[in-house]
Structures are given as structure tokens and as C-alpha cells.
Amino acid sequence: AKSLQEFATVLQNLEDERMRMIENASEVLITPLEKFRKEQIGAAKDAKKKYDKETEKYCGVLEKHLNLSSKKKESQLQE
């Protein structure tokens, strides 16, 4: 009976340490990864969206300019 009690105590201590390790893993690994994802990757995605939008706008202006004939008015070319 005493041996089983000691074994149960050892198992309980092992389980407690395992739970502390899991909690620590969340604090040490998961939280920094979430922070990195939100700050760094989110900022990169926003920059990419802005770049794509500006590129599309620039390409549209180029297409419009290339499609103008040489007989168009000077005011349209300045635009």
C-alpha cells in the first residue's frame, strides 16, 4: 500500500510538471509567434496590398496613355 502511495505521488508530481511545461510553452512559444504573425506578417500583407493597388493604378494610366491617338487634344495628354 505504501509503495502504491509513493507511486501515485510520483505520478502526480510528473503530471504537475507536465502541466507547468505546457503552460510555459504557451508563454514562451505561442504568444511570441502570435505577436510576430500580427505585427510582422500583417504589416507585410498590408504593404503588398498597397503595392498591388498602386501598380494596378499605374498600369491603368499607362494603358490609357498608350491607347490615345496622336490626334487627341493636348489637355488629355497632360492628364
Side-chain angles (χ1 to χ4, degrees), residues 10-64:
V10 169
L11 287 178
Q12 186 60 44
N13 289 340
L14 184 64
E15 184 65 21
D16 291 343
E17 289 300 320
R18 187 181 69 80
M19 289 303 292
R20 278 191 218 127
M21 187 176 69
I22 290 171
E23 290 170 3
N24 191 30
S26 175
E27 194 174 295
V28 171
L29 296 173
I30 296 172
T31 303
L33 283 174
E34 288 177 350
K35 183 179 176 185
F36 174 78
R37 178 183 56 85
K38 289 177 185 174
E39 293 176 359
Q40 302 295 323
I41 296 175
K45 283 184 178 180
D46 291 342
K48 183 184 181 305
K49 285 180 187 176
K50 183 178 178 184
Y51 173 79
D52 289 343
K53 186 175 180 180
E54 290 295 321
T55 301
E56 185 178 332
K57 186 177 172 182
Y58 177 72
C59 289
V61 169
L62 281 178
E63 277 187 36
K64 183 178 176 184

